[in-house]
Amino acid sequence: MSPAHPALDRLRTAVAATTEPGRLRLAGAALAVLLVAFGALAAWQVAARQSAADAVVRHSQPLSADAADIYRSLADADTTAAGGFLAGGQEPAAVRQRYDKDIAVASELLVKAAANTDPADPARSRITRLNAQLPVYTGLVESARAAGRQGLPLGGAYLRYASDRMREELLPAARELYESETGRLESDYAGATAWPWAALAAGIVALGALGWAQRREYLRTHRVFNHGLLAATAAAGVGLLWLVAGHAVARTELTASYEHGARSMQVLSEARIAALQARGDESLTLVARGAVLTAAGDDAYEASYRAGMRALVGGDLTTGGEPRGGSLLGRAQSLADGAAGREPVAGAIRDVGRWQQRHGEARAADDGGYYERALPLVIGDKDSTGAAFDRVDTGLRQALAHEEDDFRRAADDGRGALTGLAAGMAVLAVLGAAGVVLGIGRRLAEYR
């Protein structure tokens, strides 16, 4: 091939671009490429958002809930073990069954979490740590029970050591696992609700280009309609409207599932855990009998109980009133949606006030040297702090069930709004490009 050939090719291209048929071919090619790019971008971005929405419903939210249940089961096991120890040598069968169930649930969920976690995932190290420490904790509890049945003071020391292991090793690892899964949930939400800006921009450019091409044809030929370009414009317009409407509905529903479902569930789960830890501190105060002190010389478990109550409701509710806005139950109350969601939370708040009142009576009796009088106020079947705590936990569990239903309903609606959108955008893009080819081809035929 001679060196003159590339120059001739460039000349032919320039001549073709200066003739009307050449300009029509270039315009048709550009319009077809724009429509295909619009469809491809829309299909790709919608598919990514649909995948993230599926992950929210099928993976990240369930795994976040499982991580919260691991934390709650471990905290409840620690609380139950302390309550059972206070009952003396004859530990109630129901208490032992509850403890065993908590350990079994935590173990089962850890196996499930490990199966759904990649080896490179940072969560795997936390799961491994929990699996290693859980048998150590249960062994210490069994030692405490054995010593307690024999009336040996060593039992209390074993139980305190077990509780320290739970609070310093297991619960922090469970908290990290929960935060990791919650972070993944929020990331999936962000991916599912992000606007497909690139596809929207491509759609607007494609529509603008189609409008320009039809106006140009009208000015040159005074023909009002080019059926092929009109069909392409309709396909692009329908695609753009579908993309905006479908994503707007999905975004609205998914946001609602987070604000009135997942977010409420997170706060309620943390409230249950805070209540469990406060209950455990309350029991350990009687077990330790002042053996564990803070740097200021106060009872460490009583100080921890008060801190837990501040986190839970923000202050003293023994005379009624409402929790502070920044407290866990204050936030749960503000996030609750509808009477079915608000009533269990309101009931839990009232029961926290009764719990605090009974706790004050128990502490007054114990501090006055009346341990035997304080004990039934803490672990008694009626009018005790334990009974009030059980009502608090039941109310929070009911609220959680309601919020989970709200979450699933809204999240499924959000996912549904994206169903078929990716495939539909691809089909509309192909139809639009075909319309351009037919419309431009008809005009080119007039020059033959």
Side-chain angles (χ1 to χ4, degrees):
M1 183 178 291
S2 67
H5 286 171
L8 288 173
D9 291 340
R10 286 195 294 272
L11 179 61
R12 290 191 192 101
T13 301
V15 170
T18 58
T19 63
E20 183 59 17
R23 285 191 289 267
L24 281 173
R25 288 189 184 93
L26 289 176
L31 289 172
V33 168
L34 277 174
L35 286 166
V36 170
F38 170 43
L41 275 172
W44 171 57
Q45 291 196 300
V46 168
R49 281 145 185 78
Q50 191 165 23
S51 177
D54 286 340
V56 165
V57 176
R58 296 179 181 176
H59 299 290
S60 51
Q61 195 285 322
L63 288 174
S64 177
D66 285 348
D69 283 341
I70 291 171
Y71 196 129
R72 189 207 61 78
S73 296
L74 293 174
D76 191 61
D78 196 44
T79 297
T80 304
F85 187 85
L86 284 175
Q90 299 299 320
E91 181 182 24
V95 173
R96 180 57 189 253
Q97 290 170 1
R98 179 169 174 169
Y99 169 84
D100 289 341
K101 181 181 178 181
D102 284 331
I103 297 299
V105 167
S107 300
E108 181 180 344
L109 290 177
L110 283 170
V111 171
K112 181 180 175 182
N116 287 283
T117 305
D118 295 330
D121 194 319
R124 179 59 71 91
S125 63
R126 295 159 191 140
I127 295 169
T128 302
R129 189 167 43 156
L130 285 165
N131 279 322
Q133 291 296 326
L134 189 55
V136 177
Y137 169 79
T138 56
L140 289 169
V141 170
E142 291 307 316
S143 297
R145 283 175 172 153
R149 284 192 294 269
Q150 299 175 50
L152 300 175
L154 188 60
Y158 270 121
L159 189 66
R160 292 196 302 274
Y161 185 45
S163 184
D164 288 345
R165 179 61 64 96
M166 173 66 77
R167 293 165 187 241
E168 294 172 6
E169 296 287 343
L170 285 129
L171 289 181
R175 164 66 71 175
E176 291 171 6
L177 178 63
Y178 171 67
E179 289 174 350
S180 174
E181 297 300 342
T182 300
R184 183 180 304 178
L185 173 62
E186 291 174 353
S187 176
D188 286 337
Y189 262 116
T193 58
W195 281 102
W197 293 115
L200 291 174
I204 292 170
V205 170
L207 274 177
L210 284 165
W212 168 83
Q214 290 171 90
R215 182 175 181 275
R216 178 182 180 276
E217 181 173 343
Y218 170 74
L219 292 175
R220 285 181 172 271
T221 66
H222 299 290
R223 292 174 180 172
V224 178
F225 297 118
N226 179 310
H227 293 95
L229 293 181
L230 192 62
T233 303
V238 169
L240 188 60
L241 286 174
W242 189 6
L243 180 62
V244 172
H247 194 77
V249 171
R251 181 183 174 89
T252 298
E253 294 295 339
L254 287 168
T255 300
S257 76
Y258 178 74
E259 293 295 335
H260 302 292
R263 189 176 168 201
S264 294
M265 290 164 66
Q266 290 170 12
V267 173
L268 287 166
S269 293
E270 291 179 15
R272 285 189 78 190
I273 291 165
L276 280 165
Q277 291 179 323
R279 173 61 180 163
D281 288 325
E282 183 177 55
S283 299
L284 286 167
T285 301
L286 291 179
V287 172
R289 306 293 299 275
V292 183
L293 302 176
T294 65
D298 299 323
D299 186 289
Y301 294 117
E302 175 64 13
S304 183
Y305 164 85
R306 291 174 182 169
M309 279 294 164
R310 285 194 297 273
L312 189 62
V313 293
D316 186 0
L317 301 185
T318 55
T319 57
E322 296 294 323
R324 293 182 183 174
S327 66
L328 289 169
L329 286 184
R331 290 163 58 198
Q333 190 175 43
S334 66
L335 290 169
D337 187 29
R342 287 192 294 266
E343 287 175 4
V345 177
I349 291 168
R350 290 192 296 271
D351 287 322
V352 168
R354 297 189 185 101
W355 179 4
Q356 290 177 326
Q357 183 178 1
R358 295 289 184 272
H359 178 84
E361 295 169 2
R363 292 312 316 140
D366 189 37
D367 292 341
Y370 299 102
Y371 175 82
E372 296 301 327
R373 189 183 300 173
L375 192 60
L377 290 172
V378 174
I379 65 171
D381 293 332
K382 295 181 179 179
D383 295 328
S384 66
T385 62
F389 160 76
D390 286 339
R391 290 193 297 272
V392 170
D393 191 62
T394 298
L396 294 178
R397 187 170 64 250
Q398 291 173 350
L400 262 171
H402 170 76
E403 298 298 340
E404 184 173 3
D405 288 341
D406 280 356
F407 159 79
R408 193 159 293 279
R409 187 163 47 250
D412 285 341
D413 289 344
R415 277 197 310 166
L418 297 174
T419 301
L421 182 53
M425 293 303 302
V427 170
L428 287 170
V430 171
L431 291 175
V436 167
V437 171
L438 291 174
I440 296 297
R442 187 155 189 172
R443 284 286 293 121
L444 286 171
E446 298 173 359
Y447 290 91
R448 291 173 186 161

